[in-house]
Amino acid sequence: MALEECDISLMTASLRYTCDNNIAENGKNELIAKVVKLTDIETYLRQNMLQDLNKMLIRYSNLQEFFSAKHDYNFVDRDSRNDWKYEIISVNKYNQDERHKIKKFPSLKAYVSYKELLFVMYTNKKSYSDITENLTAQIYESLKGHLIPETQYSVHRDVRNRVNAMVQEIFSEVWATAELIGSAEKGLAIIETRVVMVIHIPPISFKMCSEHFDSENWKTSPYNLEYVSEHLKNIGMKNVETFSESNRCFFYDPVTRMNCRLGTDLGLVYERDEMILEYFKLDKRVKPLAAAVNHFTRNHWLQKTFHFQLLGSTCYIIMVLRFLMSGLKTPVIISLQNPPVICKSTRCRYNRDNGRLVTKFNDEIREFYVKYHDCIRIKNSATEDYYGYGNFSEESESTIWTSKNNENLGSLLIGFFRFYSNGWNYRPVSIINNDGTLFGMAKEDCQSTVAFVQDPYITQKNLAKTCYGKYYKSIIETFKAAEMALKNGASFDEICEPHVEQDVCPLMSQSNV
C-alpha cells in the first residue's frame, strides 16, 4: 500500500521528534536505538500537525495502529543517511530485549512507567567499530589459512642449508653465504610460495670480492649465475633455469618438492630484511598488517612480475611501515633509523658498530651508512593488547617510546587503503625519517616518477622506479575499491578474491623482493 502524503508527513515528523527528544543513553553513537514515549509523539503531533493527524485517524483508530500498519516502511535520515526501522513495544519488553547485550538498545535515561508504550527507532546498519572488529577477526582467520605455519619454515631452512653449504664451498674466499629473503624470511610467505634466497657477500668482503672476481675471473664469481646453476645441478637440483638479465636462477628441489629462486644480493637486501624484522617486533599489529597487504596485493596481481611493472613485496611493506609512522593522527611505530627518543643503551646495535657497509650501486663500489636501533620498545598508553617485545629483557637497556594508538587491525587496514588511494602519498614513501620525508634528497628529486619508495640504506635508490602508467593507476583504483567495500561491510576474503583479467595482470606468481 502506498503512503499517502499525510502519512509521509506524520512519519517524518515522528522521526525528527524522536531524534531530538531521545530518552535513551546513546551518547554520540548515531547507530544506537533512539526512544520516546508513544504518548509524547501523539502530543507533539496534536500540537504541530493536527490536520494531518485527523486525516490519519479517519482510517486508523489510534497512532499505535497507524504505526503498526506502516511497519514495513523505513525512515531515511537525510543527515546521517541511516535507514531506520521502528517498533512499538512496552517498557518491560524493551528492558528485556536481547539487543541490549550487543549495545544496540541503550538504557533509558530516567524511570518510565511500565504502563507506557515506547516508540523505538533502530537501524541494522553496522557501526564502524563493529565493521573493524569483525574485519580484524577475519584477517587473523584468513591469514591462518593462507600463511605458512611457523613449523613449516623448517622446510625453507632445509633448502637454504643445502644451498648454503654449496655456496660456502665454492665461494669460501669471500665468505659468501646463501640467505633466505623476502616473504619467507619475514614470516609472510603464503602456502604456495617458492623459497627465495640470495647469495650474500658480507659487506666487509664486498670490495675484495669485486676486485678478486675481475673480468678475468668473472666466470667463476657469485655474479655469474650460469656458473652457480651448474653447481646447483651437481647437488641434485632439477629444472635449473638462469635469467642473467634479472640476476636470478630458478630451480626445483626434489627433496622438499619446493620451487626455489636464487640471486646475488647486489644491494644490501639481506641487511634491509634484517631491519624490517626489527619493525615487526615493535607492535603486535605491524606484522599482521604487512601480511594482510601482502596477501591482498598478491591475489590482485599487484606485485611486480617479469612482464608487469608494479610494486614488489618489499615496497608494500615499506609502505605499511611509513603509514604506521606518519599516515595516522596517532602513530603506531617510530623510525628505527632516526627515532624521536634518545638512545642510552650500551648494547644497542646503533652503538655497537660504525654502520658503514660497502656494496655496488650504479656499477660502482660505494660505502653506505647502515645503522638502526634495535633497543626500541614501544609501550601503549591506551591498551596493553598491542605491546611488542624488545631485544633486551632489562628495561635499562631498552629505549622506551609510548604510543597512544589503539586502533584495531581492521581499522588500520582500511586506513592503509585510504591513505594509498591518494597518489600524492606515493611521492615519497620513506621510513628513514619519522614524518615520511625523503632523507638526503630534495622532494623535487622524486617528482619525475609516479612513485618513489626510498631504499632505507641506499637512499638514492627508488625501489618503485619501474612502476608507472596504468599499473600505478591500477594499484590506486584497487585500493580505493577495497576501502569502500570494507567500509560497507565486505569481508577480508571477499576483497581478496583474485583479479584475473588477462589484459591487465597475467597469472604469474613471481613477485619482486
Side-chain angles (χ1 to χ4, degrees):
M1 182 186 297
L3 285 172
E4 295 189 14
E5 187 175 343
C6 70
D7 295 347
I8 296 174
S9 298
L10 290 172
M11 294 179 77
T12 302
S14 299
L15 165 68
R16 293 296 178 194
Y17 178 83
T18 305
C19 289
D20 294 340
N21 299 275
N22 182 24
I23 62 172
E25 298 277 6
N26 71 334
K28 295 181 179 180
N29 191 334
E30 289 296 324
L31 299 179
I32 289 181
K34 304 179 189 304
V35 185
V36 293
K37 293 187 290 184
L38 185 61
T39 52
D40 287 345
I41 290 183
E42 185 169 2
T43 300
Y44 172 78
L45 294 177
R46 286 191 181 281
Q47 292 174 351
N48 296 277
M49 303 185 68
L50 184 59
Q51 187 175 354
D52 287 335
L53 183 64
N54 287 335
K55 287 181 182 179
M56 178 273 291
L57 290 174
I58 295 173
R59 292 173 288 127
Y60 301 97
S61 58
N62 54 44
L63 197 58
Q64 180 181 359
E65 184 180 326
F66 166 72
F67 281 132
S68 298
K70 308 300 180 185
H71 187 264
D72 290 337
Y73 291 94
N74 297 339
F75 293 124
V76 177
D77 185 354
R78 287 175 297 179
D79 296 333
S80 67
R81 305 306 300 168
N82 290 329
D83 192 3
W84 294 97
K85 298 179 181 297
Y86 66 86
E87 293 180 20
I88 308 294
I89 55 178
S90 67
V91 172
N92 283 346
K93 187 176 178 181
Y94 177 82
N95 289 333
Q96 296 169 11
D97 197 286
E98 291 292 314
R99 284 168 285 191
H100 284 285
K101 295 180 181 179
I102 58 173
K103 300 180 180 179
K104 288 291 186 181
F105 276 22
S107 301
L108 300 177
K109 294 177 183 177
Y111 170 78
V112 179
S113 171
Y114 70 92
K115 296 180 181 179
E116 294 280 0
L117 290 177
L118 300 177
F119 179 85
V120 182
M121 275 176 31
Y122 64 92
T123 178
N124 290 326
K125 183 179 178 180
K126 291 182 178 179
S127 68
Y128 185 74
S129 61
D130 288 339
I131 289 172
T132 59
E133 285 174 12
N134 290 338
L135 178 58
T136 297
Q138 293 162 7
I139 293 170
Y140 282 116
E141 189 62 29
S142 181
L143 293 180
K144 194 186 302 181
H146 289 99
L147 293 186
I148 294 176
E150 191 63 35
T151 53
Q152 289 188 24
Y153 277 105
S154 59
V155 176
H156 287 246
R157 296 187 189 104
D158 175 65
V159 179
R160 177 263 170 190
N161 290 341
R162 284 180 285 120
V163 173
N164 182 51
M166 176 202 81
V167 169
Q168 287 183 321
E169 181 179 347
I170 62 178
F171 302 122
S172 58
E173 61 268 47
V174 292
W175 304 295
T177 58
E179 303 291 350
L180 289 169
I181 62 165
S183 297
E185 172 67 9
K186 302 181 189 84
L188 306 180
I190 59 174
I191 290 172
E192 66 269 22
T193 195
R194 65 176 77 244
V195 180
V196 182
M197 298 167 285
V198 291
I199 297 174
H200 178 245
I201 318 285
I204 194 172
S205 60
F206 201 96
K207 188 173 182 180
M208 180 183 70
C209 177
S210 297
E211 293 172 348
H212 180 76
F213 294 111
D214 55 17
S215 57
E216 184 178 337
N217 300 318
W218 184 84
K219 289 185 178 180
T220 58
S221 76
Y223 309 115
N224 181 11
L225 291 180
E226 294 285 356
Y227 175 68
V228 175
S229 296
E230 292 304 314
H231 285 275
L232 287 171
K233 294 174 185 176
N234 292 340
I235 64 171
M237 300 304 177
K238 305 295 183 184
N239 305 330
V240 182
E241 290 186 86
T242 302
F243 297 85
S244 300
E245 68 278 6
S246 62
N247 189 45
R248 295 169 178 173
C249 63
F250 298 86
F251 57 93
Y252 173 76
D253 175 34
V255 177
T256 60
R257 299 181 180 179
M258 294 290 293
N259 290 312
C260 307
R261 189 185 92 194
L262 179 67
T264 304
D265 185 353
L266 299 177
L268 301 175
V269 173
Y270 178 68
E271 286 77 14
R272 187 180 64 207
D273 278 5
E274 279 189 316
M275 184 175 68
I276 287 174
L277 289 175
E278 288 298 322
Y279 275 107
F280 288 172
K281 298 176 184 178
L282 296 179
D283 185 287
K284 290 181 180 178
R285 295 166 288 180
V286 179
K287 183 176 178 180
L289 181 60
V293 171
N294 188 53
H295 179 57
F296 176 85
T297 54
R298 283 182 68 99
N299 273 26
H300 283 272
W301 307 104
L302 295 179
Q303 293 194 15
K304 185 178 176 182
T305 69
F306 291 131
H307 298 84
F308 288 82
Q309 303 305 306
L310 293 147
L311 299 176
S313 60
T314 296
C315 283
Y316 286 114
I317 292 173
I318 291 176
M319 288 165 62
V320 167
L321 298 178
R322 192 270 198 210
F323 165 71
L324 295 176
M325 278 182 209
S326 55
L328 296 158
K329 290 183 179 179
T330 307
V332 173
I333 60 174
I334 56 176
S335 170
L336 294 181
Q337 291 170 276
N338 289 301
V341 285
I342 298 174
C343 167
K344 297 181 179 179
S345 173
T346 58
R347 295 166 60 189
C348 177
R349 178 188 181 121
Y350 194 90
N351 301 318
R352 291 199 305 265
D353 56 59
N354 63 19
R356 299 196 178 278
L357 302 181
V358 177
T359 191
K360 182 180 286 189
F361 179 60
N362 287 345
D363 295 325
E364 295 180 8
I365 302 299
R366 295 174 58 180
E367 186 178 72
F368 292 93
Y369 193 62
V370 181
K371 294 189 76 171
Y372 63 89
H373 295 263
D374 62 355
C375 65
I376 303 295
R377 183 185 295 179
I378 294 179
K379 290 188 175 181
N380 196 308
S381 61
T383 175
E384 294 185 3
D385 293 346
Y386 305 132
Y387 272 28
Y389 57 95
N391 288 316
F392 309 122
S393 56
E394 307 93 338
E395 191 157 305
S396 60
E397 290 293 344
S398 299
T399 300
I400 307 299
W401 180 77
T402 303
S403 170
K404 298 178 182 179
N405 185 294
N406 65 350
E407 291 184 55
N408 58 35
L409 183 59
S411 177
L412 291 176
L413 181 62
I414 293 174
F416 173 87
F417 287 138
R418 182 190 308 116
F419 188 76
Y420 288 110
S421 294
N422 183 343
W424 289 107
N425 290 328
Y426 291 78
R427 294 181 300 179
V429 176
S430 179
I431 59 173
I432 303 174
N433 295 322
N434 281 286
D435 59 2
T437 56
L438 286 171
F439 179 85
M441 298 175 67
K443 189 172 183 179
E444 294 72 30
D445 295 336
C446 71
Q447 298 305 306
S448 61
T449 179
V450 294
F452 195 102
V453 179
Q454 187 174 41
D455 188 298
Y457 291 155
I458 306 174
T459 55
Q460 291 175 295
K461 184 177 181 179
N462 178 14
L463 298 175
K465 67 179 180 180
T466 58
C467 183
Y468 62 90
K470 67 177 182 180
Y471 306 116
Y472 163 74
K473 184 178 178 182
S474 176
I475 294 170
I476 290 179
E477 290 177 348
T478 306
F479 282 179
K480 183 64 177 177
E483 178 207 349
M484 298 307 296
L486 290 175
K487 286 168 70 174
N488 287 324
S491 71
F492 180 65
D493 283 340
E494 285 172 343
I495 67 156
C496 286
E497 289 180 2
H499 179 76
V500 293
E501 292 181 17
Q502 291 294 316
D503 60 334
V504 178
C505 300
L507 295 176
M508 300 179 69
S509 60
Q510 198 53 42
S511 65
N512 178 49
V513 218

